[in-house]
């Protein structure tokens, strides 16, 4: 705390100083910079223009990031966090990274998306069924041209159910589609009948 007092800084000032100093060092060595969105939310106008902002807290931030001319990775926790067991595969599939971003130049600043899995709610015994098939739904969302995406998840259900069974056949304990992450099958033997 003594150094902060000597330089007339509080904790927020020290955080900003650290992030901006680390950015300069990384850029001087030719590295790309990715910062969590808190840096943008707290001092976005001070970030190096090469910064990629990782949007994770929720909606509306990606729109502000690209409006400021910065690049963005979308992984909003209310839609694409695999450890949120109440998030269904349909929600993963329907999450649109370009929500409210209509300018084609700003759309190009959205680099893509990321689904995240944090370890607070899982261990080796349940990680596979927590991740799959919801990660596959997000992957299809991100890798399919927007004009070819299903407008209704019922058009995706059979294909994703088949993919889940393929995973099971290969020894990956992917969860059933019905319900939330890590739910029990609605009936026994559903993959056998497909």
């Amino acid at each position: 705390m003594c150094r902060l007092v000597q330089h007339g800084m509080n904790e927020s000032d020290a955080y900003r100083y650290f992030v901006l100093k680390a950015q300069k060092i990384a850029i001087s060595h030719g590295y790309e910079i990715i910062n969590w969105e808190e840096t943008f939310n707290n001092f976005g106008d001070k970030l190096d223009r090469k910064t990629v902002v990782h949007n994770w807290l929720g909606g509306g931030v990606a729109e502000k990031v690209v409006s400021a001319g910065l690049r963005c990775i979308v992984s909003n926790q209310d839609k694409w966090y695999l450890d949120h067991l109440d998030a269904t595969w349909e929600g993963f599939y329907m999450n649109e990274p370009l929500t409210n971003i209509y300018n084609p130049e700003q759309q190009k600043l959205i680099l893509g998306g990321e689904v995240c899995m944090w370890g607070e709610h899982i261990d080796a015994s349940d990680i596979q069924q927590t991740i799959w098939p919801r990660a596959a739904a997000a992957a299809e969302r991100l890798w399919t041209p927007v004009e070819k995406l299903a407008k209704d998840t019922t058009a995706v259900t059979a294909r994703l159910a088949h993919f889940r069974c393929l995973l099971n056949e290969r020894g990956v304990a992917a969860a059933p589609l019905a319900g939330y992450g890590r739910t029990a099958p609605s009936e026994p033997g559903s993959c056998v009948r497909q």
Side-chain angles (χ1 to χ4, degrees):
M1 190 66 158
C2 186
R3 183 166 170 80
L4 293 180
V5 172
Q6 288 175 344
H7 293 286
M9 293 193 286
N10 62 28
E11 291 86 357
S12 295
D13 297 330
Y15 174 58
R16 182 178 54 246
Y17 172 82
F18 172 80
V19 168
L20 298 178
K21 183 75 168 175
Q23 280 194 339
K24 284 182 183 179
I25 293 169
I27 290 168
S28 75
H29 291 285
Y31 291 107
E32 290 282 327
I33 302 162
I34 301 176
N35 284 127
W36 292 102
E37 76 175 69
E38 290 88 340
T39 60
F40 176 80
N41 294 339
N42 291 311
F43 48 90
D45 60 326
K46 305 270 189 281
L47 295 175
D48 189 280
R49 297 292 89 191
K50 296 177 184 173
T51 302
V52 175
V53 176
H54 186 176
N55 162 222
W56 74 279
L57 287 173
V61 176
E63 180 183 354
K64 294 174 187 172
V65 169
V66 299
S67 291
L70 298 172
R71 296 172 295 161
C72 187
I73 297 170
V74 177
S75 65
N76 38 359
Q77 68 171 333
D78 59 330
K79 304 292 186 195
W80 277 348
Y81 267 47
L82 293 160
D83 56 309
H84 289 206
L85 299 180
D86 59 340
T88 64
W89 74 266
E90 292 94 342
F92 276 70
Y93 188 87
M94 297 306 289
N95 185 33
E96 175 51 62
L98 297 177
T99 298
N100 297 323
I101 302 171
Y102 306 107
N103 179 316
E105 292 305 311
Q106 290 178 351
Q107 289 177 346
K108 291 177 188 174
L109 295 174
I110 299 292
L111 300 180
E114 175 187 30
V115 295
C116 300
M117 179 70 235
W118 296 91
E120 295 91 341
H121 304 288
I122 57 104
D123 63 19
S125 71
D126 60 3
I127 190 168
Q128 291 179 343
Q129 59 267 46
T130 303
I131 292 172
W132 302 106
R134 296 179 303 152
E140 182 169 319
R141 181 69 188 190
L142 288 167
W143 287 93
T144 304
V146 72
E147 63 276 0
K148 293 187 178 185
L149 284 167
K151 304 294 183 243
D152 180 359
T153 56
T154 57
V156 180
T157 304
R159 183 173 61 256
L160 201 54
H162 178 71
F163 178 69
R164 181 231 175 206
C165 289
L166 291 174
L167 288 171
N168 287 169
E169 288 172 6
R170 288 167 173 83
V172 176
L177 291 183
Y180 301 109
R182 294 198 315 242
T183 58
S186 56
E187 74 275 342
S190 61
C191 283
V192 175
R193 289 198 306 255
Q194 288 188 15

